Amino acid sequence: MKETLTIIDNRTDLRYEVPIHQGTVRTMDLRKIQAGPGDFGLMGYDPAFMNTASCQSAITFIDGDKGILRYRGYAIEHLAEKCSFLEVAYLLLFGELPTAAELNAWVDTVTHHTMIHETTKKFLEGFRYDAHPMGMFISTVAALSTVYPEARNVHDPALRHLQMCRLVGKVPTIAAYTYRHSLGYPYVYPDNELSYTANFMNMLWKMVEPKYQANAQLARALDILFILHADHEQNCSANVMRSVGSSQADPFVSVAAAAAALSGPLHGGANEEVLRMLDEIGSKDKVWSYLEQVKAGHGKLMGFGHRIYKNYDPRAQIIKWAANQVFEVTGRNPKLEIALELERIALEDDYFVKRRLYPNVDFYSGIMYQAMGFQPDLFTVLFAIPRTVGWLAQWQEMVQDPEQKIARPRQVYIGSEQRDFLPIERRGVRAASSAT
Ligand code: SDX
């Protein structure tokens, strides 16, 4: 079978053979298709990259129709059940599951990078008491680039590795400090005797007790949530990480940019919006009328729908299981009943079925986080902690990819043709006349 596309340009009756490579055509191969001498040649036009591969990647595989998610070839279900988050972080960043010795060394390294510079703590003090934790998180991660100027040497493998260890170790600390700042509580230093998630809980919730005792079931549930949120191939924020990183910006400002993308309500900000939506619905019996509003085009069903998953998001299934583990400790979150009723009705309603809208990763995570004692405005920060690993894995792959260079898309220009300059005294006249 010939792996080529034969294109006949009806403008010129010329035929072109374009190679097909891994189910794609290189849009640069279209440039030879010209309307005539001097023509720029064809480009692909794909707003929001609905059907454009920006890279080749070996990190995460998703089959949206089959609801498959694999990190480096391993099924998310197996990793969530059998691994710790740092074990999965190692897999995503270095390509293989670690041996016991490798894992111990990795955990030890990350653990010894959990402290942040005292000047960075003072930087955090500058925020208003009611600053949104995500705004504080994004700004503080970016500020780390001023502490580690050597991070600009992105092509030095040893320095790249050091910055990745720093970021994986420090994002929970920064996240916890944004939370403590918003409550006016003193910051809690990391406790190196605790696991990654137990230490995060320590920095969030330790008060005056001499040593924080993390509930093991809650710590495990959080570890599983971190695994589920670690990477998701070329999602909006990963695309930003690759794009900003392609200019050879350092990994700290690149992660901050990716976190900024994640903060949007259509992306990682959705988990916070789900709780607001459930609060707005208020009770099970009001779910139906709320859905009628959505179907009439008044707003979206937050936590539903996905660009890739068109049957179900495998992460949502696992989160439902983990949520029950949490509720065994915390008691059921009353919002769960509203969410289950909303899911039940929506999955039977033609409007949502026809548009292939199913619960995504954000639908149940917020309910679980709230039951664990997190405030809704911290939910996206909780998403950013594990996704920092995914962003770094994507960034490192981009830096090492010989095909990649600075990202600079083209455009289709639809603006004015050349116009004569308009002196200031004559401006507005036309607008006034055209307005009449
Ligand atoms: C994440 O990309 C990733 O991998 C992201 C993520 C990750 O791990 O990184 O999985 C994390 O971002 C999960 C998504 C969280 N966002 C939300 O839950 C917000 C609500 N969802 C939607 O905004 C939407 O579903 C998106 C943004 C997630 C996906 O949007 P698409 O693929 O661009 O789909 P679309 O907007 O073109 O919608 C197609 C149709 C439209 O209806 P019509 O114009 O055809 O009539 O479906 C409708 C949309 O209006 N639709 C919804 C809907 N989502 C899509 N209608 C109601 N409620 C929704 N949630």
Side-chain angles (χ1 to χ4, degrees):
M1 176 174 64
K2 278 178 72 180
E3 288 288 307
T4 62
L5 213 54
T6 301
I7 298 173
I8 297 172
D9 184 344
N10 296 316
R11 299 172 298 178
T12 59
D13 288 333
L14 294 176
R15 292 166 69 94
Y16 301 85
E17 289 290 306
V18 176
I20 295 171
H21 175 67
Q22 293 172 308
T24 68
V25 290
R26 286 180 176 272
T27 39
M28 279 305 287
D29 287 345
L30 301 179
R31 285 283 294 281
K32 62 189 176 191
I33 302 174
Q34 297 172 324
D39 178 44
F40 182 80
L42 285 188
M43 288 194 293
Y45 175 57
D46 187 11
F49 312 125
M50 297 288 282
N51 191 40
T52 293
S54 63
C55 61
Q56 297 188 61
S57 179
I59 299 168
T60 294
F61 172 76
I62 299 172
D63 181 321
D65 287 328
K66 298 191 182 110
I68 290 173
L69 170 58
R70 298 184 195 129
Y71 293 161
R72 301 286 188 184
Y74 294 99
I76 191 68
E77 294 81 359
H78 297 158
L79 296 173
E81 182 190 347
K82 302 173 189 304
C83 292
S84 69
F85 168 67
L86 282 185
E87 199 173 353
V88 171
Y90 185 100
L91 170 68
L92 285 168
L93 289 170
F94 310 119
E96 298 296 336
L97 284 168
T99 63
E102 287 166 337
L103 181 57
N104 289 338
W106 168 240
V107 170
D108 186 63
T109 298
V110 171
T111 300
H112 288 87
H113 280 292
T114 49
M115 296 277 277
I116 60 174
H117 201 286
E118 286 296 303
T119 56
T120 306
K121 277 176 58 192
K122 290 191 178 63
F123 175 84
L124 266 161
E125 288 302 334
F127 287 103
R128 272 170 51 116
Y129 66 91
D130 60 351
H132 194 290
M134 201 53 187
M136 289 194 266
F137 178 86
I138 293 163
S139 315
T140 308
V141 169
L144 290 181
S145 73
T146 66
V147 182
Y148 308 109
E150 73 278 12
R152 295 173 66 87
N153 301 303
V154 298
H155 287 295
D156 180 323
L159 283 174
R160 238 184 4 245
H161 184 273
L162 174 56
Q163 312 322 321
M164 293 199 297
C165 295
R166 281 170 167 159
L167 274 159
V168 175
K170 292 175 191 337
V171 287
T173 309
I174 293 170
Y177 286 8
T178 67
Y179 179 69
R180 299 287 286 198
H181 178 83
S182 65
L183 297 174
Y185 292 165
Y187 297 150
V188 175
Y189 282 91
D191 178 341
N192 290 351
E193 292 173 1
L194 298 176
S195 72
Y196 192 78
T197 37
N199 177 43
F200 177 51
M201 294 162 74
N202 159 59
M203 295 187 289
L204 284 167
W205 292 319
K206 181 178 179 296
M207 296 310 278
V208 292
E209 67 272 31
K211 186 145 177 93
Y212 180 76
Q213 301 296 330
N215 175 294
Q217 197 159 328
L218 294 186
R220 178 59 189 149
L222 197 52
D223 217 45
I224 290 171
L225 269 178
F226 281 3
I227 290 169
L228 297 175
H229 285 83
D231 188 60
H232 214 238
E233 56 131 287
Q234 304 314 312
N235 57 83
C236 177
S237 52
N239 181 55
V240 165
M241 184 76 189
R242 283 177 170 263
S243 181
V244 172
S246 73
S247 72
Q248 297 188 9
D250 72 61
F252 297 104
V253 293
S254 300
V255 165
L262 185 75
S263 70
L266 296 187
H267 192 8
N271 53 19
E272 183 178 344
E273 296 304 318
V274 167
L275 260 293
R276 290 209 173 87
M277 176 181 73
L278 296 176
D279 281 338
E280 187 183 337
I281 294 171
S283 61
K284 269 177 72 170
D285 60 322
K286 298 198 176 66
V287 164
W288 187 82
S289 57
Y290 185 87
L291 290 176
E292 288 306 303
Q293 289 295 313
V294 170
K295 288 156 64 177
H298 304 307
K300 288 190 181 294
L301 195 50
M302 300 314 279
F304 261 65
H306 201 278
R307 176 67 56 80
I308 308 286
Y309 292 124
K310 296 306 179 188
N311 283 317
Y312 67 94
D313 183 336
R315 300 168 296 177
Q317 315 282 323
I318 302 169
I319 288 180
K320 271 177 90 170
W321 173 84
N324 285 320
Q325 304 297 306
V326 167
F327 299 145
E328 279 178 14
V329 176
T330 63
R332 272 168 88 84
N333 185 332
K335 295 195 177 65
L336 179 68
E337 305 313 320
I338 303 173
L340 290 170
E341 178 70 354
L342 191 153
E343 180 183 16
R344 183 187 67 79
I345 298 176
L347 293 185
E348 293 167 358
D349 186 298
D350 186 50
Y351 177 93
F352 300 100
V353 173
K354 193 169 67 174
R355 289 169 175 78
R356 304 181 75 182
L357 302 175
Y358 298 83
N360 59 45
V361 68
D362 290 306
F363 187 63
Y364 284 105
S365 57
I367 299 166
M368 187 172 153
Y369 286 143
Q370 188 181 51
M372 292 179 83
F374 294 108
Q375 301 300 319
D377 63 5
L378 197 74
F379 291 178
T380 310
V381 174
L382 295 172
F383 195 150
I385 294 171
R387 189 53 62 88
T388 295
V389 167
W391 292 329
L392 288 170
Q394 298 286 344
W395 168 74
Q396 179 176 236
E397 188 176 66
M398 180 275 301
V399 169
Q400 293 174 319
D401 183 343
E403 260 207 314
Q404 292 293 339
K405 51 174 61 177
I406 188 166
R408 201 262 182 241
R410 295 219 174 240
Q411 64 173 18
V412 175
Y413 180 68
I414 56 170
S416 304
E417 291 306 319
Q418 183 170 350
R419 294 190 281 178
D420 295 334
F421 181 75
L422 205 55
I424 192 158
E425 60 276 7
R426 287 177 39 210
R427 294 171 198 164
V429 171
R430 190 183 59 263
S433 57
S434 60
T436 51

